[in-house]
């Protein structure tokens, strides 16, 4: 394995690979030299590179993890696929639908695997919800609300995160892509018909709402939204309401959640500060009386699940169709949301029109 990126994501991938049997971390790449040496030593990685291109060019890697800023996801993934490597890419797969499409095409042409680290859907509570849905306890889900909101949660003020070119956007592409993923996964991948989105940049632009984490500064302007809201129409008449914010005047916590309304039942998931206990409530009728089920949740480590599945898929040799299409679908939704916000109108996705 080779890992690109030395931030939280890069270290988490590296750590989890090393928990698996017969996986060797051969190379690591990143720009912060002291941190590169420190991680190399801590995890016993023999080959350290400054730039991702050097790592990707190595011929002793089967696969790489991309944990670099979003603008590097497509170039790193495509270069790796072209040289025959499998790719585990952090979310979002890319900054735009077009970039994500290029990655998927490169994976198909190379006959290699692309997985995207949608780690939050692997949480124990999301998995419990999924099994209730698969058992039919909610019936047909017709409306979902998905939110991820922080008070002062802008990551790396002035870093790549707040640079439009490098990040592709703000909380919508960063946090929104996780809640879009969870919602579409739970709803069994409905088609997206249209999106209507608005974005705001009220606090970040005034230098407020930062999380205070130290990251390399690339500029002093705040170029992305700090809050996004969207209304998304799905196939079969279902709808999804989205709210993703890094900064807003609200409770001082980092909270995400889902509300699902189905024909036979409903559910709420409320996660406060990444907590894992007592997060889900399922609402049904038992003998004609409203009842609330509070399932016990077994915590699961999202990154471990994702990394293990990636390694198992690569080892299995069954690579067909594992080309990152879910990542592409999410990238298209995010992309359409930004277009809608910019142009102030509803945007219809491939082949869909407003008429019924
Ligand atoms: N799934 C999750 O829960 C999760 C959590 C955090 C971050 N992420 C994703 O992981 C990615 C990285 O996020 P982060 O918070 O770790 O960012 P970060 O800014 O902390 O780290 C980015 C790393 O990329 C490296 N890098 C930049 N340019 C490079 C180049 N040319 N060659 C090699 N390395 C280069 C930097 O040196 C740095 O070490 C993002 O896409 C983010 O969305 C996902």
């Amino acid at each position: 394995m080779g890992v690109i990126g030395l931030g939280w994501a890069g270290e988490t991938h590296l750590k989890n690979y090393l928990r698996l049997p017969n996986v060797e971390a051969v190379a690591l790449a990143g720009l912060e030299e002291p941190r590169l040496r420190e991680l190399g030593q801590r995890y016993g990685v023999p080959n350290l590179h400054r730039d991702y291109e050097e790592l990707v060019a190595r011929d002793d890697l089967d696969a790489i993890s991309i944990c670099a800023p979003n603008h590097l996801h497509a170039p790193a993934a495509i270069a790796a696929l072209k040289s025959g490597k499998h790719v585990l890419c952090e979310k979002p797969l890319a900054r735009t639908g077009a970039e994500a499409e290029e990655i998927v095409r490169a994976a198909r042409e190379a006959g290699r695997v692309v997985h995207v680290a949608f780690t939050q859907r692997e949480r124990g509570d999301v998995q419990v919800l999924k099994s209730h849905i698969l058992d039919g306890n909610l019936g047909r889900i017709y409306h979902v609300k998905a939110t991820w909101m922080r008070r002062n949660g802008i990551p790396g003020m002035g870093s790549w995160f707040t640079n439009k070119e490098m990040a592709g956007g703000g909380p919508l592409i960063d946090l929104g892509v996780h809640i879009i993923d969870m919602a579409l996964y739970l709803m069994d991948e409905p088609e997206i018909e249209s999106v209507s989105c608005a974005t705001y940049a009220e606090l970040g632009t005034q230098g407020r709402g930062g999380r205070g984490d130290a990251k390399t500064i690339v500029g002093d302007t705040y170029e992305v939204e700090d809050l996004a809201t969207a209304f998304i129409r799905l196939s079969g008449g279902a709808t999804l309401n989205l709210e993703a914010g890094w900064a807003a005047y609200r409770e001082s916590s980092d909270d995400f959640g889902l509300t699902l309304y189905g024909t036979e039942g409903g559910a709420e998931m409320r996660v406060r500060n990444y907590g894992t206990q007592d997060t889900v409530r399922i609402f049904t009728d038992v003998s004609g009386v409203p009842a609330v089920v509070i399932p016990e949740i077994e915590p699961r480590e999202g990154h471990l699940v994702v990394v293990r599945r990636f390694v198992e898929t690569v080892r299995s040799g069954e690579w067909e169709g594992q080309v990152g299409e879910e990542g592409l679908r999410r990238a298209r939704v995010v992309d359409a949301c930004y277009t809608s916000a910019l142009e102030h109108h509803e945007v219809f996705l491939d082949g869909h029109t407003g008429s019924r």
Side-chain angles (χ1 to χ4, degrees), residues 4-10 13 29-32 35 49-53 66-73 90-92 117-120 159-161 173-174 178 211 215-216 303:
I4 302 169
L6 313 173
W8 184 85
H13 281 235
L31 304 181
E32 303 81 6
R35 171 109 174 132
H49 301 281
R50 193 178 143 75
D51 202 78
Y52 80 87
E53 288 177 351
I66 303 175
C67 307
N70 300 346
H71 70 297
L72 297 179
H73 290 190
E90 259 305 340
K91 47 52 66 173
F118 288 121
T119 46
Q120 298 298 345
S159 75
W160 71 268
F161 272 103
I173 200 166
D174 183 45
H178 272 306
R211 196 163 63 178
K215 294 206 187 268
T216 308
H303 270 96

Side-chain angles (χ1 to χ4, degrees), residues 92-153:
L93 178 55
R95 292 171 300 180
T96 62
E99 264 188 353
E101 225 163 277
E102 284 178 44
I103 298 175
V104 168
R105 193 177 318 121
R108 272 210 193 93
E109 283 169 10
R112 292 293 184 272
V113 172
V114 172
H115 280 187
V116 185
F118 288 121
T119 46
Q120 298 298 345
R121 77 150 82 158
E122 304 299 343
R123 291 175 53 93
D125 37 28
V126 180
Q127 292 301 314
V128 162
L129 277 173
K130 184 72 180 173
S131 48
H132 274 268
I133 292 166
L134 287 175
D135 287 348
N137 298 343
L138 269 57
R140 176 175 50 79
I141 298 167
Y142 52 89
H143 183 58
V144 174
K145 287 191 274 188
T147 77
W148 193 324
M149 291 296 298
R150 296 175 179 161
R151 167 76 183 257
N152 288 314

